[in-house]
Amino acid sequence: QVQLVESGGGLVQAGGSLRLSCAASGSISSINTMGWYRQAPGKQRELVAVIASGGSTNYADSVKGRFTISRDNARNTVYLQMNSLKPEDTAVYYCNANGLMGWGIRYDSWGQGTQVTVSS
């Protein structure tokens, strides 16, 4: 099993910043991609940002220029720096990681989610 634990969510005013962290643990052989997804009430879960093991990134258009995803491979941790937050960013943010456990077993794990609320 690969477990993901998120932290850093909370309440922030519009224009403010938050930094989310997600640490992976377990029998990890490798982590391929790590990413952040979010789901607002009544909406589908959407990709926010992903980062590959080599550092390449992809962002949702709605967050480009405001959010930055990064990872610390040595610590099996992914971060999401969120700046210039808008009320539309309010959602539960979920961390995702996929890769290989020992003996070539693939995993695709999700964190429990952390609430981000941006007030207007």
Side-chain angles (χ1 to χ4, degrees), residues 35-38 45-50 58-63:
W36 291 94
Y37 297 72
R38 67 187 182 187
R45 186 174 298 187
E46 65 175 346
L47 183 147
V48 177
V50 293
N58 284 294
Y59 296 91
D61 288 341
S62 60
V63 307

Side-chain angles (χ1 to χ4, degrees), residues 49-99:
V50 293
I51 183 167
S53 60
S56 62
T57 59
N58 284 294
Y59 296 91
D61 288 341
S62 60
V63 307
K64 287 181 179 177
R66 299 188 297 120
F67 292 9
T68 302
I69 189 170
S70 61
R71 64 190 285 173
D72 185 337
N73 291 330
R75 296 187 173 94
N76 292 332
T77 300
V78 63
Y79 306 93
L80 185 67
Q81 179 67 46
M82 304 185 292
N83 298 326
S84 301
L85 282 162
K86 304 175 181 179
E88 305 93 277
D89 297 318
T90 296
V92 177
Y93 284 70
Y94 296 91
C95 176
N96 171 259
N98 62 80

